[in-house]
Amino acid sequence: MAQKQKIELNFNDVDDFHFKKPLKGYMMKIADDHYVIGNEDLAIKSTGKTPKEAAEMLKEQFIVLANDIIYKSKYAPLSERERKKLNIINSICDII
């Protein structure tokens, strides 16, 4: 069984996202060419052949999730879980 390893991912700024602190999560090596990186608080997970590839996929998922929650927050009330995710997103990055 693969063991979880704590990691902190530092992302470069992208488009409207200014990252001010690292995204914390877990990395698991499933096989020699298969890595899984995830963040349980945001409920996002990605896989890749290398840790860098998995991290890039996680960054993309983070951006999609952030866009979805920010858009929804403008037009509808958020659930408790969505508010928690929004607080985490706001603590990690500024969205212009």
Side-chain angles (χ1 to χ4, degrees), residues 38-92:
N39 178 292
E40 293 172 357
D41 294 329
L42 295 174
I44 55 176
K45 181 169 52 169
S46 66
T47 61
K49 291 183 179 181
T50 64
K52 183 176 180 176
E53 183 180 304
E56 286 297 319
M57 294 294 291
L58 191 73
K59 180 180 179 180
E60 289 177 26
Q61 288 185 8
F62 176 85
I63 290 171
V64 168
L65 174 67
N67 279 327
D68 288 348
I69 289 181
I70 301 254
Y71 179 80
K72 183 178 179 183
S73 72
K74 292 179 182 180
Y75 300 103
L78 297 176
S79 68
E80 182 65 32
R81 185 175 179 155
E82 290 168 328
R83 283 193 302 274
K84 181 181 175 186
K85 288 181 182 182
L86 181 61
N87 289 336
I88 293 169
I89 290 166
N90 286 332
S91 73
I92 293 171

